[in-house]
Amino acid sequence: MMQNKRYCQLNNYKLVTYSQAWAYQRSLVAERINNPSLNDVLILLEHPPVYTLGTGSTLDFLKFDPQVSDFEIHRTERGGEVTYHCPNQLVGYPILNLRYYQQDLHWYLRQLEEVIIKTLAQYDLKAYRLPELTGVWLEGKKVAAIGIKVRRWITMHGFALNVCPNMSGFEQIIPCGIANKPVGSLAEFISDITVDQVRVKVAEAFAEVFQVELIEHNYESATLKAII
């Protein structure tokens, strides 16, 4: 359990390629393995259109042939099946040292879900979990996907919240391998909602759930290229 409130650097980016964000996460994890006293980091950003697969994901959930497709696809070290990222979907990558919280991956997944649930509660939306399934649902539709990797108790990857994206990209896959439950977005429930509005509320909920003090940094995407 966490004894004292920790500082967490909040890095806000706009549109960042998946490869850049992935490399950045790995660099942050490596730094914290070498120096566990470093502050935690929460990265909030959007990605250009991209499909990602978890380490053990099956290609059966793709509705296209990845060998001849023009879609950008990455197989990553996170858990979970295939998912889709695109602009106007808010993606969060927490780099946390769970030794300062709880060394329990199920606890961590439930905390990430709680961040989304509390975020949506700020819009008077009653989001919820489903037993045996990771993620967050709203009126029968999955609005947030979660997939993580933990190395020496340092976390990477994280969550994706559909704010107001073009949902057509999800039609090319069986999202998260769940064929009988549709995906949805917050725009179906709140008109004129934007990612910039939601990222503020996600940060507030994250600070509350994990009991951290956020140190905010806002960057242009070009800054991330310089870092990695």
Side-chain angles (χ1 to χ4, degrees), residues 39-110:
N39 287 339
D40 297 323
V41 179
L42 172 61
I43 306 165
L44 294 178
L45 48 71
E46 300 166 64
H47 287 308
V50 59
Y51 293 97
T52 71
L53 299 127
T55 184
S57 295
T58 174
L59 298 179
D60 294 344
F61 296 130
L62 301 180
K63 298 181 181 179
F64 58 89
D65 183 348
Q67 301 301 320
V68 296
S69 171
D70 291 332
F71 296 123
E72 184 178 350
I73 308 168
H74 295 279
R75 184 175 289 278
T76 77
E77 66 273 72
R78 67 164 173 81
E81 293 290 344
V82 62
T83 195
Y84 177 63
H85 301 302
C86 64
N88 294 314
Q89 177 197 72
L90 182 64
V91 177
Y93 295 131
I95 313 296
L96 306 184
N97 187 338
L98 292 183
R99 289 189 176 90
Y100 293 101
Y101 301 86
Q102 288 193 31
Q103 292 173 231
D104 183 330
L105 301 190
H106 293 288
W107 172 87
Y108 178 58
L109 288 169
R110 302 294 81 78

Side-chain angles (χ1 to χ4, degrees), residues 97-135:
N97 187 338
L98 292 183
R99 289 189 176 90
Y100 293 101
Y101 301 86
Q102 288 193 31
Q103 292 173 231
D104 183 330
L105 301 190
H106 293 288
W107 172 87
Y108 178 58
L109 288 169
R110 302 294 81 78
Q111 297 303 99
L112 292 182
E113 292 168 345
E114 188 67 16
V115 169
I116 304 301
I117 290 170
K118 284 185 177 294
T119 297
L120 272 54
Q122 296 181 67
Y123 291 98
D124 295 323
L125 296 174
K126 294 183 179 179
Y128 55 91
R129 302 173 178 87
L130 287 178
E132 309 303 324
L133 294 175
T134 298

Side-chain angles (χ1 to χ4, degrees), residues 118-185:
K118 284 185 177 294
T119 297
L120 272 54
Q122 296 181 67
Y123 291 98
D124 295 323
L125 296 174
K126 294 183 179 179
Y128 55 91
R129 302 173 178 87
L130 287 178
E132 309 303 324
L133 294 175
T134 298
V136 177
W137 274 259
L138 186 59
E139 294 191 14
K141 295 184 176 182
K142 189 173 186 178
V143 294
I146 296 173
I148 64 168
K149 167 68 177 178
V150 177
R151 182 180 170 207
R152 299 190 190 177
W153 296 110
I154 311 294
T155 69
M156 62 181 293
H157 297 289
F159 58 85
L161 174 60
N162 296 329
V163 180
C164 51
N166 181 333
M167 300 292 287
S168 62
F170 286 101
E171 297 171 4
Q172 302 297 323
I173 60 173
I174 299 175
C176 303
I178 304 172
N180 61 344
K181 298 186 186 302
V183 291
S185 72

